PDB file of all heavy atoms in Angstrom:
ATOM      1  N   ARG A 192     -40.198  -5.182  22.596  1.00 92.00           N
ATOM      2  CA  ARG A 192     -40.283  -5.678  23.971  1.00 92.00           C
ATOM      3  C   ARG A 192     -41.652  -5.425  24.588  1.00 92.00           C
ATOM      4  O   ARG A 192     -42.091  -6.169  25.468  1.00 92.00           O
ATOM      5  CB  ARG A 192     -39.200  -5.019  24.824  1.00 92.00           C
ATOM      6  CG  ARG A 192     -37.788  -5.528  24.530  1.00 92.00           C
ATOM      7  CD  ARG A 192     -36.763  -4.818  25.387  1.00 92.00           C
ATOM      8  NE  ARG A 192     -35.423  -5.357  25.168  1.00 92.00           N
ATOM      9  CZ  ARG A 192     -34.326  -4.873  25.735  1.00 92.00           C
ATOM     10  NH1 ARG A 192     -34.409  -3.828  26.556  1.00 92.00           N
ATOM     11  NH2 ARG A 192     -33.154  -5.418  25.487  1.00 92.00           N
ATOM     12  N   ARG A 193     -42.312  -4.364  24.130  1.00 91.00           N
ATOM     13  CA  ARG A 193     -43.614  -4.018  24.701  1.00 91.00           C
ATOM     14  C   ARG A 193     -44.770  -4.761  24.040  1.00 91.00           C
ATOM     15  O   ARG A 193     -45.903  -4.679  24.520  1.00 91.00           O
ATOM     16  CB  ARG A 193     -43.849  -2.512  24.599  1.00 91.00           C
ATOM     17  CG  ARG A 193     -42.945  -1.705  25.513  1.00 91.00           C
ATOM     18  CD  ARG A 193     -43.399  -0.266  25.599  1.00 91.00           C
ATOM     19  NE  ARG A 193     -42.554   0.500  26.502  1.00 91.00           N
ATOM     20  CZ  ARG A 193     -42.783   1.760  26.855  1.00 91.00           C
ATOM     21  NH1 ARG A 193     -43.844   2.386  26.373  1.00 91.00           N
ATOM     22  NH2 ARG A 193     -41.968   2.387  27.673  1.00 91.00           N
ATOM     23  N   ALA A 194     -44.501  -5.436  22.952  1.00 91.00           N
ATOM     24  CA  ALA A 194     -45.564  -6.214  22.304  1.00 91.00           C
ATOM     25  C   ALA A 194     -46.080  -7.265  23.277  1.00 91.00           C
ATOM     26  O   ALA A 194     -45.310  -7.956  23.941  1.00 91.00           O
ATOM     27  CB  ALA A 194     -45.031  -6.872  21.037  1.00 91.00           C
ATOM     28  N   ARG A 195     -47.408  -7.383  23.364  1.00 88.00           N
ATOM     29  CA  ARG A 195     -48.011  -8.262  24.357  1.00 88.00           C
ATOM     30  C   ARG A 195     -48.308  -9.664  23.833  1.00 88.00           C
ATOM     31  O   ARG A 195     -48.653 -10.546  24.597  1.00 88.00           O
ATOM     32  CB  ARG A 195     -49.304  -7.608  24.876  1.00 88.00           C
ATOM     33  CG  ARG A 195     -49.063  -6.340  25.672  1.00 88.00           C
ATOM     34  CD  ARG A 195     -50.358  -5.581  25.883  1.00 88.00           C
ATOM     35  NE  ARG A 195     -50.824  -4.965  24.648  1.00 88.00           N
ATOM     36  CZ  ARG A 195     -50.849  -3.655  24.432  1.00 88.00           C
ATOM     37  NH1 ARG A 195     -50.413  -2.831  25.351  1.00 88.00           N
ATOM     38  NH2 ARG A 195     -51.298  -3.164  23.302  1.00 88.00           N
ATOM     39  N   SER A 196     -48.218  -9.843  22.539  1.00 90.00           N
ATOM     40  CA  SER A 196     -48.482 -11.157  21.957  1.00 90.00           C
ATOM     41  C   SER A 196     -47.762 -11.254  20.619  1.00 90.00           C
ATOM     42  O   SER A 196     -47.292 -10.248  20.069  1.00 90.00           O
ATOM     43  CB  SER A 196     -49.987 -11.373  21.758  1.00 90.00           C
ATOM     44  OG  SER A 196     -50.493 -10.464  20.792  1.00 90.00           O
ATOM     45  N   ARG A 197     -47.701 -12.460  20.085  1.00 93.00           N
ATOM     46  CA  ARG A 197     -47.023 -12.654  18.802  1.00 93.00           C
ATOM     47  C   ARG A 197     -47.686 -11.877  17.676  1.00 93.00           C
ATOM     48  O   ARG A 197     -47.014 -11.406  16.761  1.00 93.00           O
ATOM     49  CB  ARG A 197     -46.996 -14.145  18.458  1.00 93.00           C
ATOM     50  CG  ARG A 197     -46.029 -14.947  19.307  1.00 93.00           C
ATOM     51  CD  ARG A 197     -45.957 -16.380  18.820  1.00 93.00           C
ATOM     52  NE  ARG A 197     -45.008 -17.159  19.603  1.00 93.00           N
ATOM     53  CZ  ARG A 197     -44.735 -18.436  19.378  1.00 93.00           C
ATOM     54  NH1 ARG A 197     -45.360 -19.082  18.384  1.00 93.00           N
ATOM     55  NH2 ARG A 197     -43.858 -19.074  20.127  1.00 93.00           N
ATOM     56  N   ARG A 198     -49.000 -11.749  17.743  1.00 94.00           N
ATOM     57  CA  ARG A 198     -49.689 -11.056  16.653  1.00 94.00           C
ATOM     58  C   ARG A 198     -49.382  -9.561  16.630  1.00 94.00           C
ATOM     59  O   ARG A 198     -49.617  -8.887  15.626  1.00 94.00           O
ATOM     60  CB  ARG A 198     -51.196 -11.298  16.731  1.00 94.00           C
ATOM     61  CG  ARG A 198     -51.893 -10.686  17.915  1.00 94.00           C
ATOM     62  CD  ARG A 198     -53.347 -11.145  18.002  1.00 94.00           C
ATOM     63  NE  ARG A 198     -54.082 -10.502  19.082  1.00 94.00           N
ATOM     64  CZ  ARG A 198     -54.712  -9.349  18.963  1.00 94.00           C
ATOM     65  NH1 ARG A 198     -54.695  -8.706  17.805  1.00 94.00           N
ATOM     66  NH2 ARG A 198     -55.366  -8.828  19.977  1.00 94.00           N
ATOM     67  N   GLU A 199     -48.846  -9.032  17.724  1.00 94.00           N
ATOM     68  CA  GLU A 199     -48.461  -7.625  17.754  1.00 94.00           C
ATOM     69  C   GLU A 199     -47.026  -7.396  17.273  1.00 94.00           C
ATOM     70  O   GLU A 199     -46.638  -6.260  16.998  1.00 94.00           O
ATOM     71  CB  GLU A 199     -48.611  -7.070  19.170  1.00 94.00           C
ATOM     72  CG  GLU A 199     -50.049  -6.988  19.644  1.00 94.00           C
ATOM     73  CD  GLU A 199     -50.176  -6.389  21.032  1.00 94.00           C
ATOM     74  OE1 GLU A 199     -49.239  -6.546  21.841  1.00 94.00           O
ATOM     75  OE2 GLU A 199     -51.209  -5.759  21.309  1.00 94.00           O
ATOM     76  N   LEU A 200     -46.258  -8.456  17.167  1.00 95.00           N
ATOM     77  CA  LEU A 200     -44.844  -8.312  16.818  1.00 95.00           C
ATOM     78  C   LEU A 200     -44.607  -7.695  15.433  1.00 95.00           C
ATOM     79  O   LEU A 200     -43.715  -6.847  15.292  1.00 95.00           O
ATOM     80  CB  LEU A 200     -44.136  -9.664  16.927  1.00 95.00           C
ATOM     81  CG  LEU A 200     -43.895 -10.169  18.356  1.00 95.00           C
ATOM     82  CD1 LEU A 200     -43.307 -11.581  18.324  1.00 95.00           C
ATOM     83  CD2 LEU A 200     -42.955  -9.228  19.110  1.00 95.00           C
ATOM     84  N   PRO A 201     -45.358  -8.096  14.388  1.00 96.00           N
ATOM     85  CA  PRO A 201     -45.097  -7.474  13.076  1.00 96.00           C
ATOM     86  C   PRO A 201     -45.268  -5.957  13.094  1.00 96.00           C
ATOM     87  O   PRO A 201     -44.446  -5.230  12.518  1.00 96.00           O
ATOM     88  CB  PRO A 201     -46.125  -8.153  12.163  1.00 96.00           C
ATOM     89  CG  PRO A 201     -46.391  -9.468  12.809  1.00 96.00           C
ATOM     90  CD  PRO A 201     -46.340  -9.194  14.284  1.00 96.00           C
ATOM     91  N   TYR A 202     -46.319  -5.476  13.763  1.00 95.00           N
ATOM     92  CA  TYR A 202     -46.518  -4.025  13.847  1.00 95.00           C
ATOM     93  C   TYR A 202     -45.431  -3.385  14.706  1.00 95.00           C
ATOM     94  O   TYR A 202     -44.890  -2.327  14.360  1.00 95.00           O
ATOM     95  CB  TYR A 202     -47.901  -3.721  14.414  1.00 95.00           C
ATOM     96  CG  TYR A 202     -48.236  -2.246  14.445  1.00 95.00           C
ATOM     97  CD1 TYR A 202     -48.494  -1.552  13.267  1.00 95.00           C
ATOM     98  CD2 TYR A 202     -48.281  -1.543  15.647  1.00 95.00           C
ATOM     99  CE1 TYR A 202     -48.796  -0.193  13.285  1.00 95.00           C
ATOM    100  CE2 TYR A 202     -48.582  -0.189  15.675  1.00 95.00           C
ATOM    101  CZ  TYR A 202     -48.838   0.481  14.493  1.00 95.00           C
ATOM    102  OH  TYR A 202     -49.127   1.830  14.517  1.00 95.00           O
ATOM    103  N   ALA A 203     -45.084  -4.032  15.807  1.00 95.00           N
ATOM    104  CA  ALA A 203     -44.051  -3.499  16.699  1.00 95.00           C
ATOM    105  C   ALA A 203     -42.692  -3.417  16.018  1.00 95.00           C
ATOM    106  O   ALA A 203     -41.842  -2.605  16.400  1.00 95.00           O
ATOM    107  CB  ALA A 203     -43.957  -4.367  17.954  1.00 95.00           C
ATOM    108  N   ALA A 204     -42.477  -4.243  15.002  1.00 95.00           N
ATOM    109  CA  ALA A 204     -41.177  -4.284  14.321  1.00 95.00           C
ATOM    110  C   ALA A 204     -41.001  -3.178  13.284  1.00 95.00           C
ATOM    111  O   ALA A 204     -39.898  -3.005  12.747  1.00 95.00           O
ATOM    112  CB  ALA A 204     -40.993  -5.645  13.648  1.00 95.00           C
ATOM    113  N   ILE A 205     -42.045  -2.410  13.004  1.00 94.00           N
ATOM    114  CA  ILE A 205     -41.960  -1.390  11.950  1.00 94.00           C
ATOM    115  C   ILE A 205     -40.835  -0.381  12.193  1.00 94.00           C
ATOM    116  O   ILE A 205     -40.041  -0.108  11.278  1.00 94.00           O
ATOM    117  CB  ILE A 205     -43.327  -0.696  11.762  1.00 94.00           C
ATOM    118  CG1 ILE A 205     -44.290  -1.658  11.048  1.00 94.00           C
ATOM    119  CG2 ILE A 205     -43.186   0.604  10.966  1.00 94.00           C
ATOM    120  CD1 ILE A 205     -45.702  -1.132  10.889  1.00 94.00           C
ATOM    121  N   PRO A 206     -40.687   0.199  13.397  1.00 92.00           N
ATOM    122  CA  PRO A 206     -39.553   1.127  13.593  1.00 92.00           C
ATOM    123  C   PRO A 206     -38.202   0.446  13.391  1.00 92.00           C
ATOM    124  O   PRO A 206     -37.261   1.065  12.869  1.00 92.00           O
ATOM    125  CB  PRO A 206     -39.725   1.590  15.048  1.00 92.00           C
ATOM    126  CG  PRO A 206     -41.166   1.372  15.354  1.00 92.00           C
ATOM    127  CD  PRO A 206     -41.545   0.133  14.596  1.00 92.00           C
ATOM    128  N   LEU A 207     -38.098  -0.808  13.795  1.00 93.00           N
ATOM    129  CA  LEU A 207     -36.849  -1.552  13.627  1.00 93.00           C
ATOM    130  C   LEU A 207     -36.501  -1.681  12.142  1.00 93.00           C
ATOM    131  O   LEU A 207     -35.350  -1.474  11.734  1.00 93.00           O
ATOM    132  CB  LEU A 207     -36.993  -2.931  14.266  1.00 93.00           C
ATOM    133  CG  LEU A 207     -35.716  -3.696  14.619  1.00 93.00           C
ATOM    134  CD1 LEU A 207     -34.932  -2.966  15.696  1.00 93.00           C
ATOM    135  CD2 LEU A 207     -36.077  -5.100  15.090  1.00 93.00           C
ATOM    136  N   LEU A 208     -37.494  -2.000  11.337  1.00 94.00           N
ATOM    137  CA  LEU A 208     -37.271  -2.137   9.896  1.00 94.00           C
ATOM    138  C   LEU A 208     -36.917  -0.796   9.263  1.00 94.00           C
ATOM    139  O   LEU A 208     -36.048  -0.722   8.383  1.00 94.00           O
ATOM    140  CB  LEU A 208     -38.513  -2.734   9.235  1.00 94.00           C
ATOM    141  CG  LEU A 208     -38.814  -4.190   9.606  1.00 94.00           C
ATOM    142  CD1 LEU A 208     -40.183  -4.610   9.080  1.00 94.00           C
ATOM    143  CD2 LEU A 208     -37.732  -5.110   9.056  1.00 94.00           C
ATOM    144  N   PHE A 209     -37.576   0.269   9.717  1.00 90.00           N
ATOM    145  CA  PHE A 209     -37.208   1.599   9.221  1.00 90.00           C
ATOM    146  C   PHE A 209     -35.767   1.933   9.612  1.00 90.00           C
ATOM    147  O   PHE A 209     -35.047   2.598   8.858  1.00 90.00           O
ATOM    148  CB  PHE A 209     -38.154   2.666   9.773  1.00 90.00           C
ATOM    149  CG  PHE A 209     -39.352   2.924   8.905  1.00 90.00           C
ATOM    150  CD1 PHE A 209     -40.634   2.792   9.410  1.00 90.00           C
ATOM    151  CD2 PHE A 209     -39.204   3.325   7.587  1.00 90.00           C
ATOM    152  CE1 PHE A 209     -41.749   3.040   8.615  1.00 90.00           C
ATOM    153  CE2 PHE A 209     -40.307   3.573   6.782  1.00 90.00           C
ATOM    154  CZ  PHE A 209     -41.581   3.426   7.298  1.00 90.00           C
ATOM    155  N   GLY A 210     -35.355   1.496  10.797  1.00 92.00           N
ATOM    156  CA  GLY A 210     -33.982   1.727  11.222  1.00 92.00           C
ATOM    157  C   GLY A 210     -32.984   1.059  10.298  1.00 92.00           C
ATOM    158  O   GLY A 210     -31.957   1.651   9.926  1.00 92.00           O
ATOM    159  N   VAL A 211     -33.269  -0.171   9.905  1.00 94.00           N
ATOM    160  CA  VAL A 211     -32.397  -0.882   8.963  1.00 94.00           C
ATOM    161  C   VAL A 211     -32.366  -0.148   7.623  1.00 94.00           C
ATOM    162  O   VAL A 211     -31.303   0.022   7.003  1.00 94.00           O
ATOM    163  CB  VAL A 211     -32.875  -2.332   8.776  1.00 94.00           C
ATOM    164  CG1 VAL A 211     -32.063  -3.026   7.682  1.00 94.00           C
ATOM    165  CG2 VAL A 211     -32.768  -3.105  10.084  1.00 94.00           C
ATOM    166  N   GLN A 212     -33.529   0.307   7.184  1.00 91.00           N
ATOM    167  CA  GLN A 212     -33.602   1.019   5.908  1.00 91.00           C
ATOM    168  C   GLN A 212     -32.784   2.311   5.946  1.00 91.00           C
ATOM    169  O   GLN A 212     -32.059   2.627   4.993  1.00 91.00           O
ATOM    170  CB  GLN A 212     -35.060   1.328   5.567  1.00 91.00           C
ATOM    171  CG  GLN A 212     -35.243   1.940   4.185  1.00 91.00           C
ATOM    172  CD  GLN A 212     -36.700   2.197   3.846  1.00 91.00           C
ATOM    173  OE1 GLN A 212     -37.585   2.027   4.687  1.00 91.00           O
ATOM    174  NE2 GLN A 212     -36.962   2.608   2.629  1.00 91.00           N
ATOM    175  N   GLN A 213     -32.885   3.052   7.046  1.00 89.00           N
ATOM    176  CA  GLN A 213     -32.103   4.284   7.164  1.00 89.00           C
ATOM    177  C   GLN A 213     -30.607   3.989   7.248  1.00 89.00           C
ATOM    178  O   GLN A 213     -29.780   4.751   6.741  1.00 89.00           O
ATOM    179  CB  GLN A 213     -32.560   5.073   8.389  1.00 89.00           C
ATOM    180  CG  GLN A 213     -33.946   5.676   8.265  1.00 89.00           C
ATOM    181  CD  GLN A 213     -34.051   6.642   7.089  1.00 89.00           C
ATOM    182  OE1 GLN A 213     -33.233   7.546   6.950  1.00 89.00           O
ATOM    183  NE2 GLN A 213     -35.050   6.449   6.247  1.00 89.00           N
ATOM    184  N   LEU A 214     -30.251   2.885   7.877  1.00 93.00           N
ATOM    185  CA  LEU A 214     -28.847   2.478   7.934  1.00 93.00           C
ATOM    186  C   LEU A 214     -28.311   2.199   6.531  1.00 93.00           C
ATOM    187  O   LEU A 214     -27.195   2.602   6.181  1.00 93.00           O
ATOM    188  CB  LEU A 214     -28.712   1.232   8.815  1.00 93.00           C
ATOM    189  CG  LEU A 214     -27.299   0.671   9.000  1.00 93.00           C
ATOM    190  CD1 LEU A 214     -26.398   1.689   9.692  1.00 93.00           C
ATOM    191  CD2 LEU A 214     -27.349  -0.631   9.802  1.00 93.00           C
TER     192      LEU A 214
END
Side-chain angles (χ1 to χ4, degrees):
R192 287 179 177 176
R193 291 192 179 186
R195 293 167 288 249
S196 65
R197 288 186 179 181
R198 67 188 184 88
E199 293 182 330
L200 287 175
Y202 184 71
I205 287 176
L207 200 65
L208 292 171
F209 270 123
V211 174
Q212 186 178 6
Q213 291 300 309
L214 181 62

